Structures are given as C-alpha cells and as structure tokens.
Amino acid sequence: MPGFISIIFVFRNTNYMNIIVINPILFTPEKEVVPFVQTIKETMIYDLCMAYLRLGHSVTLLAAADFKPAKEEAYDFEVVFLKSIWKRVFKPGLLPFMPGVWSYLRKRRHEVDMVLTSETFSIPSFLSALIVPSKTVVWQELGAHNRKMKMLPSRIWYNVIARCFMRKVWVIPRSYVSQRFISKYMPRVGSPIGHGIVVKQNSISTLKKNQLLTVGRLFWEKNIISVIRKAAAFFSKYPQYNDYVLYVAGDGGLRDEYQEQIRKLGREQQIILLGKLPHEELFRYYRESKASLFDSLRELNMLALMESVAMSTPVVTNRVPFDSEVVEKEQLGIARDGWDEDDIARVIEENDRFVANCKRYAQSITVDAVAQRIIDSFEQASKKNI
C-alpha cells in the first residue's frame, strides 16, 4: 500500500516556496505491521524533501508517530510526527488517520500555495481538498481499485467522495496506467511524473561488465525464481555468453529455497545471491550490469526498474509494473509478458542503443528533476486554470 504524501508550497517570491510534506506511512509494512526503524533518511519522501531544499525551498515533513525512529535523530529540515487514532479501523500501516493534519492545514490555509497528496483514495487528500481545494495536487500511484472488501470502499470513494468533494484538485499520475484509471473519476489530470531517483556524480559512466542483475525481496510476489530459471535457460541456449553472471540482490524468506534451486540447475558459479546490499553498493551493481531482469507477479511503480534506468542500465521486464509502459515507449529495454532467454540475448546484443536511451531518459527521473517537474506541472495548471 503506497504511503500517503502531501506537499504544500507557499510562495514568498517568484523563486521561493515553503513546502510542507505530509507522509504518514514512511515505510511499507509487512502484513500491515509497522516496522521498527533506526532512521527515516533512506526513504523516498525524505529524498524528495532534500531535493526541494536543494532547489532553494523550505520544507517541513509531517508523518505518523507510529513510524518515528526508536532514537531521536537530527534532520536537515523540520520533521513533525502526528498521532494517529482509531487504529483498529484506520490501521497505521495501511490507512492511518491523523486528525492533527486538519488543524495543521487550517492554520496555514492562507499561506499555502499547493498541497501534494499521494493518492486520491486517502484521508490527507480529502482533508486538503476540503481546506484548500484549488491548491491541492494528488500524486496518484494506484491504477486500479483497492481490492479490500471486494473493492466496495474504493468504488464508493472514487465515485462519490472524489467526484463530489475533490473535483478541484490537480492530479499528477505516476504512470500511464494511473493516468488512464484516475481520468475516469477526476476532471483535472496532468501528464505522468514517476518517482525520483537519487543519482550522485559517482553513479554514472561506469564500464559495463559481462553480468546481469535482478533486484527484489525474495518473496513470491517478486518472482525472482522465474528470473533465475530464465537466466539458466539463457546460459544453456547461448554458450557464447557463458562468462556472464546473474547477480540477485535482495533477501527474504525464500533465500534457502532459491539457493537449492540454483544448485539443482548446476549454476552456482553463474547465479549468485548477494543478499540485501547497502544503497551505494547496489547502485554499483546496477552501473556495471548489461541489463536488469524483472518478472514480478504484483507491482505498482517499480522503484528498482527506474533505479536501473537511472544508472543507464536497460531492463527486461514483463508488463506487470506500471513503468513497463515507459520502458516500451522510450525503448529503455524490453517490456514483454512471457519474456525469455532470447530477450536476454537481444538486450545484450543491442546494449549500446538501449544504454544510450537510458542515459537520455535518466535526466528526467532524478529526484531533483522530479521535484521541479511537480512544481512546474502545478504552476502550469494554475495559470491555465485547467
């Protein structure tokens, strides 16, 4: 379940904005259990806040107190943790309800310029639409109805609450799938802007090695075992690539089972389980690989897919991730359901072309570029009164 994100921009002059980010869910819970964390500085939303600081804006982050780290830590901007209530109904790891959001926005309603929330189906989006409707932007990730209770709450929300009380908000979808879905219910919808990727100077211009990469938790929905089997088939069918290695970055409950499968395939030297890697080391594997391979069973916007593209590494993926449509449209690799060993060979043989396309597209998906694109989208919609 995506986190609920809200951003408020306040104009002081033509260049400066005061930005308040409301993001109750800082981490994706496992089975709706809020994780125990030491820091929030490695989250996507913290990176976005830092991008706005670098762009010269002031930022405040509001989050659910349930996600507060065990120890106090110093932040680069103000972070406020708000209490969530009625937790049996509004579970903190799924749909937290923080009544403090209402008073916080009400006190600042005359100062704010824009509020960015993460989903139309969210309490912060609804509250913001009530308080500052023409200043609210929804950053929409979902591309289908939530399946809880046979989709009934979701259908009621989109057909009644969204259409009646949220019509004035500006919606920025995070994918073409999200755009098509939300356009059925909301009249003001812009062009897609996906998640931003943190790219440092040393993250670029690394020579490719004879290696492939797949990234994901070792649980059933990531379907890493499918990638392992397809890689084994690739090694068997294309002996000219027998010096290649598939690295598997990620950990989880199926690690022992996957290791045993690799042993049975006789590919212990060519398929290597790396475990969970620190961010910098993971990005090094991205940069050095000829391609990243994905075959997930369930995804929304897949961060790993765009991380690979940001590192100028093409991808081979099925069409489950919403971002697969961008891969096909921008020729960032191969997006095809049922992809196989022949597609792996093709992405290697045409690597220079795919890498060049990734380098070009990567400039638009850095976290700083995404932060600015969100501002630009809202300002253009406001000027045109779309």
Side-chain angles (χ1 to χ4, degrees), residues 98-227:
M98 305 183 307
V101 170
W102 175 270
S103 59
Y104 201 94
L105 292 181
R106 286 279 297 175
K107 290 178 181 178
R108 293 156 180 81
R109 67 188 185 278
H110 298 302
E111 302 174 358
V112 302
D113 178 71
M114 183 177 87
V115 181
L116 173 66
T117 68
S118 86
E119 299 296 335
T120 304
F121 187 7
S122 79
I123 296 173
S125 299
F126 177 55
L127 296 179
S128 182
L130 292 179
I131 299 169
V132 282
S134 63
K135 303 176 182 181
T136 298
V137 174
V138 175
W139 202 15
Q140 177 77 19
E141 182 170 15
L142 293 178
H145 286 289
N146 189 294
R147 290 177 288 183
K148 296 285 186 181
M149 298 176 64
K150 297 183 179 181
M151 302 184 188
L152 185 60
S154 179
R155 290 186 182 279
I156 292 174
W157 187 282
Y158 283 103
N159 282 290
V160 179
I161 295 177
R163 281 179 165 160
C164 293
F165 302 104
M166 303 175 69
R167 293 180 57 82
K168 293 183 179 181
V169 308
W170 176 243
V171 182
I172 301 177
R174 303 193 200 190
S175 68
Y176 292 106
V177 176
S178 304
Q179 184 184 47
R180 289 191 292 270
F181 171 73
I182 198 59
S183 294
K184 299 175 184 177
Y185 306 99
M186 305 294 280
R188 305 178 68 232
V189 180
S191 299
I193 301 176
H195 294 144
I197 308 299
V198 178
V199 180
K200 298 180 180 179
Q201 283 301 111
N202 62 356
S203 296
I204 311 170
S205 302
T206 299
L207 292 175
K208 300 294 186 184
K209 297 181 180 180
N210 290 348
Q211 67 184 48
L212 304 165
L213 179 68
T214 187
V215 179
R217 296 178 301 169
L218 305 187
F219 294 101
W220 71 270
E221 66 268 19
K222 295 298 183 181
N223 203 22
I224 300 295
I225 190 62
S226 174
V227 175

Side-chain angles (χ1 to χ4, degrees), residues 136-375:
T136 298
V137 174
V138 175
W139 202 15
Q140 177 77 19
E141 182 170 15
L142 293 178
H145 286 289
N146 189 294
R147 290 177 288 183
K148 296 285 186 181
M149 298 176 64
K150 297 183 179 181
M151 302 184 188
L152 185 60
S154 179
R155 290 186 182 279
I156 292 174
W157 187 282
Y158 283 103
N159 282 290
V160 179
I161 295 177
R163 281 179 165 160
C164 293
F165 302 104
M166 303 175 69
R167 293 180 57 82
K168 293 183 179 181
V169 308
W170 176 243
V171 182
I172 301 177
R174 303 193 200 190
S175 68
Y176 292 106
V177 176
S178 304
Q179 184 184 47
R180 289 191 292 270
F181 171 73
I182 198 59
S183 294
K184 299 175 184 177
Y185 306 99
M186 305 294 280
R188 305 178 68 232
V189 180
S191 299
I193 301 176
H195 294 144
I197 308 299
V198 178
V199 180
K200 298 180 180 179
Q201 283 301 111
N202 62 356
S203 296
I204 311 170
S205 302
T206 299
L207 292 175
K208 300 294 186 184
K209 297 181 180 180
N210 290 348
Q211 67 184 48
L212 304 165
L213 179 68
T214 187
V215 179
R217 296 178 301 169
L218 305 187
F219 294 101
W220 71 270
E221 66 268 19
K222 295 298 183 181
N223 203 22
I224 300 295
I225 190 62
S226 174
V227 175
I228 290 172
R229 289 168 179 159
K230 290 178 179 183
F234 165 74
F235 294 136
S236 297
K237 185 172 182 178
Y238 294 92
Q240 65 268 39
Y241 296 125
N242 268 342
D243 59 335
Y244 273 67
V245 175
L246 170 67
Y247 290 109
V248 180
D251 215 338
L254 296 176
R255 180 181 178 119
D256 292 342
E257 180 180 326
Y258 288 176
Q259 190 67 67
E260 178 62 16
Q261 287 291 320
I262 294 169
R263 187 192 65 79
K264 289 181 178 179
L265 291 167
R267 297 293 179 179
E268 296 98 323
Q269 302 304 312
Q270 290 179 290
I271 303 177
I272 311 297
L273 301 183
L274 298 172
K276 185 177 181 180
L277 300 176
H279 214 62
E280 282 299 314
E281 189 174 358
L282 173 61
F283 272 36
R284 177 173 63 82
Y285 276 95
Y286 277 128
R287 296 192 305 269
E288 294 176 350
S289 297
K290 290 286 183 71
S292 296
L293 314 178
F294 304 104
D295 206 19
S296 291
L297 298 174
R298 188 169 65 188
E299 291 287 352
L300 295 178
N301 285 346
M302 191 175 190
L303 185 61
L305 192 153
M306 282 297 132
E307 285 179 341
S308 181
V309 172
M311 297 296 103
S312 301
T313 297
V315 300
V316 178
T317 179
N318 59 14
R319 294 183 178 275
V320 171
F322 290 176
D323 290 321
S324 63
E325 197 165 337
V326 174
V327 172
E328 182 178 35
K329 182 178 180 180
E330 302 292 338
Q331 288 293 288
L332 308 175
I334 297 170
R336 185 174 77 83
D337 285 332
W339 64 267
D340 55 22
E341 62 272 18
D342 295 331
D343 295 298
I344 300 176
R346 181 188 161 203
V347 81
I348 293 174
E349 291 162 2
E350 301 180 34
N351 206 246
D352 289 345
R353 178 173 71 88
F354 287 129
V355 167
N357 291 341
C358 289
K359 285 183 177 179
R360 171 184 50 78
Y361 189 75
Q363 299 175 15
S364 68
I365 59 173
T366 66
V367 68
D368 291 71
V370 165
Q372 186 61 55
R373 288 169 63 196
I374 290 173
I375 293 176

